Amino acid sequence: GQQVMQIPQYQHVQEGEDFTTYCNSSTTLSNIQWYKQRPGGHPVFLIQLVKSGEVKKQKRLTFQFGEAKKNSSLHITATQTTDVGTYFCAGPYSGAGSYQLTFGKGTKLSVIP
Amino acid sequence: DGGITQSPKYLFRKEGQNVTLSCEQNLNHDAMYWYRQDPGQGLRLIYYSQIVNDFQKGDIAEGYSVSREKKESFPLTVTSAQKNPTAFYLCASSIGGRDYGYTFGSGTRLTVV
């Protein structure tokens, strides 16, 4: 079945440093989605990428979708303590059920003030 | 405001008991999902439903049951057959499936005592 791998699993950064998490799929994706889960909270949808090579920005967050549509990255510039949380990527399941997303295991970001 | 409501927030269950977790949405979304989250495991799909009176097993359905009698409601029953039920349970919905972002509820933390 489809697998979505995320690296690293954990990342500790000093406030103000940059952060990047990577997502790799075993199959080509029609789209990829990113979610953020704050400690003790629930996942919140951040963005969806659809086109090959697409780049989208949300303030200090930059999202990229690979040319082959099998990988993606999330880059945060100049991290702040409000960025703390776990970031998940998710891709559509390529099996018979067309309504599922497969989630990566997430990258847990800690920001040291 | 539209959203997903999960209740209760915390639930304690004795071994051998069945418990039912509530999930209600007023977003008029067709698809609803139940995920289980364990530390370091990411989100694992238990059951999903695309339309009323229809639901499908996810990756870890054993020991769980669901119903979808109304569009707004998708309750999850954790049965005594589930060997390790202590986890954080998340309900989600989407307007049309995998090409749209999921909206998550705030979750139910189940502990077996």
Side-chain angles (χ1 to χ4, degrees):
Chain A
Q2 177 179 318
Q3 291 193 3
V4 179
M5 310 296 291
Q6 265 187 272
I7 55 169
Q9 189 174 1
Y10 301 96
Q11 185 79 58
H12 304 273
V13 300
Q14 202 76 32
E15 188 172 17
E17 291 181 341
D18 292 355
F19 159 77
T20 303
T21 174
Y22 300 91
C23 181
N24 293 288
S25 169
S26 56
T27 59
T28 301
L29 300 170
S30 60
N31 71 82
I32 194 154
Q33 300 175 23
W34 285 91
Y35 293 77
K36 176 184 178 180
Q37 184 176 21
R38 296 182 187 274
H42 57 278
V44 174
F45 175 74
L46 294 177
I47 207 162
Q48 180 187 62
L49 304 172
V50 178
K51 298 177 183 176
S52 169
E54 188 170 14
V55 178
K56 286 188 176 180
K57 292 190 176 184
Q58 290 180 349
K59 298 182 180 178
R60 295 178 294 104
L61 278 61
T62 301
F63 303 84
Q64 289 189 310
F65 200 10
E67 294 289 341
K69 301 184 76 173
K70 295 180 71 174
N71 57 76
S72 181
S73 65
L74 159 59
H75 179 83
I76 302 178
T77 304
T79 55
Q80 300 175 359
T81 55
T82 53
D83 296 324
V84 164
T86 302
Y87 293 85
F88 295 95
C89 63
Y93 180 56
S94 57
S98 62
Y99 285 79
Q100 298 184 56
L101 283 180
T102 297
F103 284 81
K105 293 188 176 182
T107 296
K108 188 173 183 178
L109 172 64
S110 299
V111 178
I112 305 164
Chain B
D1 288 338
I4 296 182
T5 302
Q6 287 188 245
S7 62
K9 190 170 184 178
Y10 299 96
L11 186 58
F12 297 89
R13 188 195 93 171
K14 293 182 179 179
E15 286 193 18
Q17 282 184 337
N18 293 353
V19 290
T20 298
L21 282 57
S22 171
C23 178
E24 303 278 335
Q25 55 101 356
N26 60 4
L27 298 166
N28 200 32
H29 285 175
D30 288 313
M32 297 187 73
Y33 314 83
W34 274 104
Y35 284 89
R36 170 179 171 144
Q37 188 173 38
D38 297 281
Q41 293 292 322
L43 299 169
R44 293 184 290 169
L45 183 65
I46 304 172
Y47 269 97
Y48 66 100
S49 170
Q50 300 174 21
I51 56 173
V52 174
N53 292 322
D54 185 60
F55 48 83
Q56 306 294 328
K57 291 182 179 180
D59 301 320
I60 55 166
E62 185 175 352
Y64 300 98
S65 66
V66 294
S67 63
R68 186 87 186 273
E69 297 177 1
K70 299 186 300 181
K71 186 175 184 177
E72 303 79 20
S73 179
F74 192 40
L76 173 73
T77 297
V78 184
T79 74
S80 56
Q82 170 50 235
K83 298 305 178 188
N84 184 22
T86 295
F88 188 44
Y89 291 88
L90 288 158
C91 180
S93 71
S94 70
I95 192 168
R98 65 183 186 179
D99 294 327
Y100 300 88
Y102 285 11
T103 300
F104 283 87
S106 57
T108 293
R109 199 165 295 276
L110 173 64
T111 304
V112 174
V113 297

